[in-house]
Structures are given as C-alpha cells and as structure tokens.
Amino acid sequence: MEYGFVDCHCHISAREFEEDLEVVIHRTTEAGVKTLIAVTEEVGEFDRVLQLQDSYPDLVAPCFGIHPLQHSGGAEQRSDLDAALPLFYKHRERLVAVGEIGLDFTPWCAPTQQDRDDQMTVFVKQLNIAKELELPVNIHSRSAAKVTIQTMTEQGVKHALLHNFAGKPSTALDAVKAGYLFSFPPAVCRNQQRDKLIRQIPLEHICLETDSPALGLDKHVRNEPSNIALSCRYIAHVKGLSPQTVQLVTAQNAYRLFPKAKRC
C-alpha cells in the first residue's frame, strides 16, 4: 500500500508509556502505523512530545493543546493556557495541529454554567491561535457536540478533527457540511452504538485513531497505537468496504487535514 495507518489522535507522551516506550513504538511500526498525531492535555506535556519527535522524527507529529478537563476548567485551566501561549508561537513550525482542545459538558466535569463558560473561554482562545498559526484543530466534544461544532463554525474554523465523536448523526452532518472530519478509536468495536453514525458519515470525512492509552477494546487494558487496525476493520465492516480501502482513504484524509504531518 502507498499509505500505512495514521493514528490521528493518541497520547504517546502519556506516563503510561514511559517504562516501555521503545517496545510500544516497535509494535506501532510493525503494525504498519506511519504517523502518530500526538496530542497533549497540559503545558507540562509540551516538552515531552517535542522530545518524542526528536527521537522518532519519521513517526511522531506533535500537537500542543490544553484539554477542557485540565484542572476541571476554571482559573487553573486559564493559567495553564497563559503559560502555554508563548510556546505555541515558539514551536509553531514543528506543530501539525492545535489539540487536544474542546468542550466537555458531562455533569461531573462541568456541573455549573460557570464551568462551561470557563471551558468556552479557553476553547475559543485556542481556536484563534490555530487560525493565526494556520493549523487544524484536534477536538474533544464530550456531551457538547452541537455547541462545539457551532462554536467552531462561528469562529470560522475550516479544518478540524472531531475525535471519538459520539454526537447525534444529524449533528455530525452539520460538521460534514462544515468540512470537518471524524475519527473513531478501537472502543467503538465494543458495541454497535456508533454504527448508525459511522454509516452516515462519508468515508472521505473519516480518520482512524486509538486515543491510546485510553479507549481500547478492553477498557481495563492499556491501549496502544498498534491497535489501530481494530478501528479500521470495524469501520470497514459497518460500511461494507474492504479494510484496505478504509486504510488508504483514511490515511489520505489524515494527510489532507494535517498536511505538515506528511513532512514528519
């Protein structure tokens, strides 16, 4: 195949991979993964993801982002963003996207309107950074799909990946019209809850992800980028396509959305 797999959303800089990273990377490349779009959740991860790109320049494509659940929003999340701001600009040439950013309105994460407002402030600031740096965004939208998509379109965002999307099919179609893409991790194989969604989204708007170390086939076992073939096969099954077709088209989609990743 001309393309291998592209894991469009993973946390390879996570602590869970520190002890056996080389083994994990070996399994990743053996599984045919060509690119890891490596997202961050907090400013403390930024150096780590750049070090990983130095160590694996043909594989790791770094993103910077402040996750909506960083310190559950509020002043600490805004403080983290303030510390991150100069780093976005300092390392702009190395970044392939701004992420993981977004909104999480699950009740235990955003119990009050103030929590939601705080998340929105940090989200919009990072969307503006992405526009200024001409970078796509890698998006978290749990229990907030509609408002996340609406906010991005209002802010004029053209290039976005909605990772582990679990919104309504009708909401997904609004994102398709806006030109946004979606990615699905191995966890979708656990049940048929996303089948209707996957069938409805055109393949040209779908990418693959693992979200490793989370969202694997078994929620109690560490997920790895090498498991990306599980997502590929499941999407192929739901759509009635060959895994080879899904692998090729999703990789093409990924490099179209993250053009700087191809240079990594």
Side-chain angles (χ1 to χ4, degrees), residues 41-201:
E41 295 189 353
E42 58 184 340
V43 70
E45 277 189 278
F46 287 9
D47 279 345
R48 171 71 171 154
V49 81
L50 293 180
Q51 289 167 8
L52 289 173
Q53 188 193 35
D54 290 337
S55 298
Y56 307 100
D58 297 328
L59 181 68
V60 175
C63 311
F64 283 1
I66 306 301
H67 191 284
L69 299 190
Q70 175 60 17
H71 308 301
S72 298
E76 289 183 84
Q77 189 195 16
R78 291 195 298 272
S79 174
D80 212 47
L81 180 59
D82 290 341
L85 280 173
L87 299 175
F88 282 103
Y89 295 97
K90 179 180 179 181
H91 299 290
R92 61 191 297 171
E93 295 304 319
R94 296 182 65 175
L95 301 179
V96 303
V98 171
E100 176 176 3
I101 67 173
L103 300 171
D104 194 314
F105 288 172
T106 47
W108 56 91
C109 296
T112 69
Q113 186 61 45
Q114 185 61 54
D115 293 318
R116 295 183 175 201
D117 291 345
D118 286 339
Q119 283 191 25
M120 182 66 78
T121 297
V122 174
F123 181 39
V124 169
K125 282 185 177 180
Q126 291 184 97
L127 292 178
N128 287 327
I129 291 168
K131 286 190 296 181
E132 186 176 342
L133 299 181
E134 297 183 334
L135 291 172
V137 288
N138 209 315
I139 298 293
H140 175 105
S141 59
R142 190 164 62 169
S143 299
K146 192 169 186 178
V147 67
T148 301
I149 292 164
Q150 183 178 348
T151 301
M152 290 195 296
T153 55
E154 288 173 353
Q155 295 295 319
V157 172
K158 303 294 185 188
H159 307 290
L161 179 79
L162 291 148
H163 112 89
N164 188 34
F165 189 80
K168 295 178 180 177
S170 58
T171 303
L173 288 182
D174 290 337
V176 168
K177 289 174 187 172
Y180 303 154
L181 278 72
F182 303 79
S183 58
F184 298 97
V188 296
C189 307
R190 293 182 202 154
N191 53 54
Q192 298 177 312
Q193 289 179 353
R194 306 287 178 94
D195 288 13
K196 182 179 179 182
L197 185 64
I198 290 169
R199 274 194 294 269
Q200 190 159 326
I201 297 171

Side-chain angles (χ1 to χ4, degrees), residues 229-250:
L230 298 173
S231 299
C232 181
R233 287 199 296 268
Y234 190 77
I235 290 167
H237 167 71
V238 171
K239 284 190 160 294
L241 300 168
S242 72
Q244 292 80 9
T245 297
V246 172
Q247 179 186 17
L248 177 62
V249 176
T250 55

